[in-house]
Amino acid sequence: MLHKKEINLVLSGGSARGLAHIGALSVLEKHFHIKSIIGTSMGAIVGGLYAYGYSPEEMLEIPDSFNIVKLISIFKPKFKTSGVIDGKGILHFLEEKTNKAQIENCKIPFAAVAFDLNSKRSIVIDKGSLAKAMRASSSLPFVFQPFRYGKYLLVDGFIEHPLPIKFANFFYNEGLTVACNVLPPAPAKHEIFELVEISEEPETPKMLDIFFQTNFYSQSATVLDAIFRNKPDIYISAFDEDLDFWDLKEAEKFFDVGKIAAEKAISRYDTGTDHNTFMKKLHENYEEFRKLVKRISH
């Protein structure tokens, strides 16, 4: 039996798109020994459940008492007078499904990234309640109230680290770094405004559509920057433009997206040349984006 290489796995945020991480995990566990996991937002939830002991298949197939679609649907806004959700339901759900486990007792070393509104800095949660860590990391502003945890007032980790690759070696310096990103790629070019007549005015997106698109597309450049400051050995881009951030009932489709993306990334890594070409193309996009930002800033 061949010895599997060890990897430190990084999982991005991305709301319902984070379901693609499950598909990626189903592939990665066959090729590698997952030595540690660190995640933001939905990446923290999927990563935390996997670290606790759930298999990718169990996340999708075990009975209705733990249906991954049901888990994600708790995120769907049902606005109160204050305009946000208190998040008690998702915390109770996660506590129930993890038996109120402590992070220290997970089968795989795990950490979740959140952002503290008090200190204005990111917090890496590597101890204490697993459910609270997942809840804190996924406190999407506007949708959820900030989560009070000890001295911290925590919101979603995507604020500063949508792909927390900076912390890939938080637990171990050894092993490959594998980053799975479900957010859209940053546009390499801008468009010059044109004065054109249109025959029919397109429909204005709904509030929820605008919220998710502006939040997650705005983080694309941050992800690109993180990739080239902390280069992963394997980079999985599990973004599919035909699926939306709020497609909460498309677990199987997201699973397939992640599975296919992971298979392609591993194939590129195995060939070496293809991986280098892929990373070079990403770097070119990164440089083009930096030039665009520099032009605009001046």
Side-chain angles (χ1 to χ4, degrees), residues 68-79:
I68 194 67
V69 174
K70 182 178 179 181
L71 170 66
I72 305 305
S73 69
I74 298 173
F75 281 80
K76 191 172 182 179
K78 297 176 182 177
F79 296 112

Side-chain angles (χ1 to χ4, degrees), residues 108-161:
I108 299 172
F110 167 76
V113 178
F115 187 84
D116 179 31
L117 294 177
N118 292 330
S119 63
K120 308 298 188 295
R121 66 182 66 179
S122 290
I123 307 296
V124 180
I125 308 174
D126 66 336
K127 61 182 68 69
S129 165
L130 174 59
K132 288 182 179 179
M134 293 188 287
R135 162 68 179 90
S137 180
S138 56
S139 298
L140 190 63
F142 181 67
V143 176
F144 284 105
Q145 291 178 2
F147 183 66
R148 294 191 179 278
Y149 196 5
K151 68 177 183 178
Y152 305 106
L153 184 60
L154 300 168
V155 293
D156 202 301
F158 88 94
I159 297 297
E160 187 175 14
H161 294 287

Side-chain angles (χ1 to χ4, degrees), residues 179-185 235-240 257 261-262 265 268 278 282:
C180 184
N181 177 36
V182 301
L183 295 170
Y235 176 65
I236 302 169
S237 178
F239 173 79
D240 187 329
V257 169
R268 285 195 302 265
F278 177 77
L282 275 180

Side-chain angles (χ1 to χ4, degrees), residues 7-22:
I7 63 171
N8 296 307
L9 180 60
V10 180
L11 302 177
S12 77
S15 194
R17 285 189 178 279
L19 294 169
H21 291 315
I22 304 173

Side-chain angles (χ1 to χ4, degrees), residues 225-239:
D225 186 66
I227 291 170
F228 289 100
R229 289 181 184 274
N230 311 273
K231 292 181 175 62
D233 296 291
I234 300 176
Y235 176 65
I236 302 169
S237 178
F239 173 79

Side-chain angles (χ1 to χ4, degrees), residues 223-275:
V223 167
L224 198 55
D225 186 66
I227 291 170
F228 289 100
R229 289 181 184 274
N230 311 273
K231 292 181 175 62
D233 296 291
I234 300 176
Y235 176 65
I236 302 169
S237 178
F239 173 79
D240 187 329
E241 63 182 1
D242 293 329
L243 293 170
D244 293 315
F245 296 105
W246 52 93
D247 277 349
L248 306 176
K249 296 182 179 179
E250 300 293 354
E252 293 288 348
K253 290 182 180 179
F254 281 119
F255 181 92
D256 289 341
V257 169
K259 182 175 180 290
I260 293 169
E263 289 170 343
K264 287 181 178 179
I266 292 172
S267 177
R268 285 195 302 265
Y269 173 76
D270 288 341
T271 59
T273 302
D274 288 347
H275 173 71

Side-chain angles (χ1 to χ4, degrees), residues 54-208:
Y54 285 106
S55 70
E57 292 73 25
E58 286 174 328
M59 290 187 203
L60 291 173
E61 296 177 2
I62 62 177
D64 186 60
S65 60
F66 176 48
N67 183 302
I68 194 67
V69 174
K70 182 178 179 181
L71 170 66
I72 305 305
S73 69
I74 298 173
F75 281 80
K76 191 172 182 179
K78 297 176 182 177
F79 296 112
K80 296 183 176 182
T81 305
S82 62
V84 294
I85 302 168
D86 61 23
K88 291 180 180 178
I90 183 67
L91 176 60
H92 175 74
F93 188 88
L94 292 171
E95 285 180 334
E96 183 181 87
K97 300 312 170 187
T98 58
N99 294 312
K100 296 188 177 180
Q102 300 295 294
I103 294 177
E104 298 93 321
N105 299 131
C106 283
K107 294 181 178 180
I108 299 172
F110 167 76
V113 178
F115 187 84
D116 179 31
L117 294 177
N118 292 330
S119 63
K120 308 298 188 295
R121 66 182 66 179
S122 290
I123 307 296
V124 180
I125 308 174
D126 66 336
K127 61 182 68 69
S129 165
L130 174 59
K132 288 182 179 179
M134 293 188 287
R135 162 68 179 90
S137 180
S138 56
S139 298
L140 190 63
F142 181 67
V143 176
F144 284 105
Q145 291 178 2
F147 183 66
R148 294 191 179 278
Y149 196 5
K151 68 177 183 178
Y152 305 106
L153 184 60
L154 300 168
V155 293
D156 202 301
F158 88 94
I159 297 297
E160 187 175 14
H161 294 287
L163 179 66
I165 194 170
K166 176 181 179 180
F167 308 109
N169 299 118
F170 181 80
F171 291 104
Y172 304 107
N173 288 321
E174 304 82 12
L176 301 174
T177 295
V178 177
C180 184
N181 177 36
V182 301
L183 295 170
K189 298 181 179 181
H190 63 287
E191 181 178 338
I192 304 300
F193 175 74
E194 297 179 14
L195 284 172
V196 295
E197 295 290 336
I198 55 176
S199 58
E200 185 177 344
E201 187 172 327
E203 182 180 353
T204 301
K206 295 180 181 179
M207 181 183 68
L208 191 59

